[in-house]
Amino acid sequence: MNPVSISYEGEISIVKISNPPVNAISLEVRNGLLDAINELEKKEEVKAVIICAPNRTFLAGADIREFGKNLGGPTLSEICNKIEKLNKYVIASLHGTPLGGGLEVAMACHFRIATPNTKVGLPEVLLGILPGAGGTQRLPRLAGIEMGLEMMLTGKHVPSQEAIENGIIDKIFEHTDTISNGINYAKELIQNNSKIKRTSENFSKVKSEEDYSEIINEIRNKYKSKHKNLFSPNAIIESVQQGLKLEFYAAINNERKLFEDCLYSPQREGLIHTFFSERAVNKIPELKTAKSKDIKKVGVIGGGTMGTGISMAALNAGLSVIMVERDEELIKKSFKKIESTYQRNVDLGRISLEEKNKLLGNFIGGTELEKIADRELIIEAVFEEMDIKKEIFTKLNKICPSDTILASNTSYLDINEIAKVTNNPERMLGMHFFSPANIMKLLEIIVGEKTSAETVATAFSLGKKMKKIPVRSGVCDGFIGNRILSKYLVATYHMVEDGASIYDIDRVIREFGCAMGPFQVIDLAGGDIGWATRKRKAPFRSKNDRYVEIPDRVCERGWFGQKVGKGYYLYGKDVKPLTPNPEIEEICKSERERVGINPKEFSDKEILDRYITALVLEGVKILEEKIAIKPSDIDVVYNNGYGFPRWRGGPMNYADKIGLDKILNNIKSYEKENSNFWSCPKLLEQLVSEGRKFKDLN
Ligand code: 3HC
Ligand code: NAI
């Protein structure tokens, strides 16, 4: 069925687009739109055309599932040009989220009207491309170079009020009926014999004789570090810059060329994989069968690093929070941190003083556990010790109603074992936030043996309310993220003991695109955390496991990283970032001597190969054991919790790209040195022998 229909109301024509769920501009939509315009072009009696998409939202952009498929048909750019050239009023009647190609269609129309809740944007940069249907030329003409570039380089969604103030839309209608809004506006235009306003002919904000190079350079520098390694932001800037010199349609052709360069780049592929993976996290069995409960009252136990961050994430979601700590001083300390974070947001103009007071008004602190007995969901974030956690859940089991959902924020501990102290373990699960919990997007939802589907669905829905990306994980030591982290850290320690430099490893991983190298991460999180975990695991370590003691030697000296000013690097007011701790190399040297290793050289390639191979190897084991339901969930965990470059799509997607046979060969060759550590998972052998990829398991 044609997703584009035309109807008429006197001399006004209504072009309706319907392509659920978000009216993405697919090949059928493009064909339908072109046919509609061709038909309307011939109808002289039609004085005004309204383009709208009355379902969930106006067009939310090109259908990104079609990218890279070469489906042919008219380009959206050609359609936009045809729309703009029509000799009758063309009105885009907007609502929802007109994004990307959706806003580009709207900007090619002569007028844009919107409902109050509309948000517009050109988020192509987040997908590794640039607006390719005239957006880089028409947005600066409407909103100016600065606003236009800001929108295209951040991908931010601009609310209708801000959009009207910046000239992107012309009028806001209080009514939500986009068709009647369009008809009313069209009648007004016809009655007033208004002039057609073509965006390409608008020179009020971008004047060709003006020199914008300084502004453009300033904006380029502002986003330099954020866009490090990325290809499309430069293409966006180039397209805008060229647009200042070229005639409009020459600039449109130039934009198209740059768009195609981006379209066929691996970064686009990685970022779109990331986009769909982040939506696919919801495709889990529990969400198909169970209904979630609407949580409004949350309890948090422990007001340390995590409890404080989790409380803020909950307050930001409009929830009421009661925190319980061991003593009043600790509550005060946590409250002070919350208060100062919100005050900083006030100072930066992110929230008003009123909003800050409202947020703080939803927070209560105390020292008696009984205080949280009325909470619908409780998140425990006390010390990482099984006995303490069990004691707390035993008490909660007594004082809370039997349907209160009980969650632990443990990083590694066995949720099934903790759940045993409760009478009804089906309401128990893990909610593993990442630090700082008010900022980091990732939330692992740890599903125990007995956790009910309703409990899982409720935790997912609460996570989304808290603006997190929840990912389902089964129970194992460290769940998805930390279990993989433990594996590649050990591979890294092996390399260091064999002769690789800690600073080379960090550099190679940064150059690969990760936010930080592994030793920087250890310094940031605190070396003591990993040390405690290594000590906990020591009794279970097999004699055949290769254990490198270098990190223990570092911790024994109290060099826990940033919080003490010294770790693998040095920290301090006058210390340059990434200054190596000069004593580390000495520790490595003496440890190599102690265990009798003759150090060898590691090339950058070998460092990266071993690091990625260890990461992917553990990922495959996690899939085999069904800890993660699908490879893309591992990608989402790594992109959002561990600084893996989003544009590589995540480690499993990256492994698909470089070839699973290569990962398998690496494992087989390393296996010869240490078969305990590098044992090859059957699933990987099977995928390689069948010529399949991880993406086939998604
Ligand atoms: N193409 C194809 N599918 C899309 C899509 C798109 N542009 N946008 C969303 N979808 C799909 C999602 O994958 C999801 O599918 P699923 O139900 O099978 O998982 C479904 O639509 C609903 O999406 P969300 O779950 O994200 O729904 P929300 O209501 O939370 O958000 C949204 C809606 C704000 C529109 C969000 O989906 C979004 O940001 N979409 C992408 C918008 C975008 O980037 N547009 C630019 C595209 S590139 C372009 O236009 C190029 C042009 O310059 C030529
Ligand atoms: P933390 O040491 O900063 O805070 C723990 C808090 O719990 C302390 O303030 C302590 O006073 C309080 N506490 C201890 N026993 C208590 C009790 N019986 N009743 C009330 N409060 C009590 O620890 P952090 O870093 O916040 O970690 C908490 C939990 O979150 C741990 O299980 C940890 O593994 C996990 N986690 C930590 C992350 C991190 O990066 N720090 C990341 C993700 C999870």
Side-chain angles (χ1 to χ4, degrees), residues 640-657:
N640 291 289
Y642 296 82
F644 201 86
R646 290 172 74 76
W647 50 273
R648 293 205 189 263
M652 307 311 268
N653 183 65
Y654 177 70
D656 270 349
K657 287 282 143 305

Side-chain angles (χ1 to χ4, degrees), residues 540-684:
F540 313 106
R541 206 174 290 135
S542 149
K543 279 200 184 68
N544 300 326
D545 287 347
R546 177 175 174 193
Y547 184 75
V548 176
E549 295 186 21
I550 293 170
D552 296 346
R553 293 295 92 80
V554 176
C555 288
E556 283 156 12
R557 287 160 169 79
W559 296 343
F560 297 146
Q562 289 196 19
K563 61 184 166 191
V564 296
K566 202 173 191 179
Y568 293 97
Y569 297 87
L570 300 179
Y571 302 90
K573 242 184 26 224
D574 303 320
V575 186
K576 252 177 65 187
L578 295 181
T579 300
N581 174 350
E583 292 158 279
I584 293 289
E585 203 37 59
E586 199 41 54
I587 293 179
C588 295
K589 202 166 153 249
S590 72
E591 278 300 300
R592 286 172 196 138
E593 276 165 20
R594 184 180 65 80
V595 292
I597 284 178
N598 196 5
K600 68 164 196 154
E601 293 239 326
F602 279 79
S603 68
D604 290 359
K605 181 181 173 302
E606 183 162 12
I607 290 173
L608 185 63
D609 273 354
R610 282 179 182 261
Y611 188 88
I612 294 290
T613 304
L615 208 167
V616 175
L617 164 61
E618 202 60 16
V620 185
K621 287 190 178 162
I622 275 173
L623 285 172
E624 262 182 343
E625 293 169 29
K626 302 204 178 349
I627 300 294
I629 289 183
K630 49 190 180 299
S632 66
D633 284 354
I634 300 176
D635 288 334
V636 175
V637 167
Y638 265 75
N639 288 338
N640 291 289
Y642 296 82
F644 201 86
R646 290 172 74 76
W647 50 273
R648 293 205 189 263
M652 307 311 268
N653 183 65
Y654 177 70
D656 270 349
K657 287 282 143 305
I658 58 172
L660 298 191
D661 52 341
K662 183 170 181 282
I663 300 282
L664 183 67
N665 288 341
N666 283 349
I667 296 175
K668 286 195 167 154
S669 99
Y670 309 150
E671 204 174 7
K672 289 177 200 144
E673 312 160 359
N674 181 350
S675 59
N676 252 13
F677 186 82
W678 291 107
S679 65
C680 187
K682 278 211 172 61
L683 176 62
L684 185 61

Side-chain angles (χ1 to χ4, degrees), residues 19-26 56-67 75-77 96-104 121-127 129-135 157 255-256 259 263 272 275-283:
N19 184 26
V22 296
N23 292 316
I25 311 166
S26 60
R56 181 162 150 183
T57 171
F58 189 80
L59 320 175
D63 187 334
I64 57 185
R65 286 166 306 191
E66 291 181 350
F67 283 177
T75 66
L76 189 60
S77 188
T97 46
L99 298 173
L103 180 58
E104 290 177 296
L122 291 181
E124 283 85 346
V125 71
L126 306 176
L127 303 172
I129 53 173
L130 76 158
H157 296 185
E255 175 195 84
R256 184 74 205 170
F259 176 76
L263 199 59
I272 285 186
F275 177 89
F276 285 117
S277 302
E278 284 175 2
R279 274 138 190 97
V281 293
N282 298 312
K283 293 183 175 131

Side-chain angles (χ1 to χ4, degrees), residues 16-23 52-58 95-96 178:
K16 248 194 272 179
I17 299 153
S18 173
N19 184 26
V22 296
N23 292 316
C52 58
N55 298 327
R56 181 162 150 183
T57 171
F58 189 80
H95 74 300
T178 51

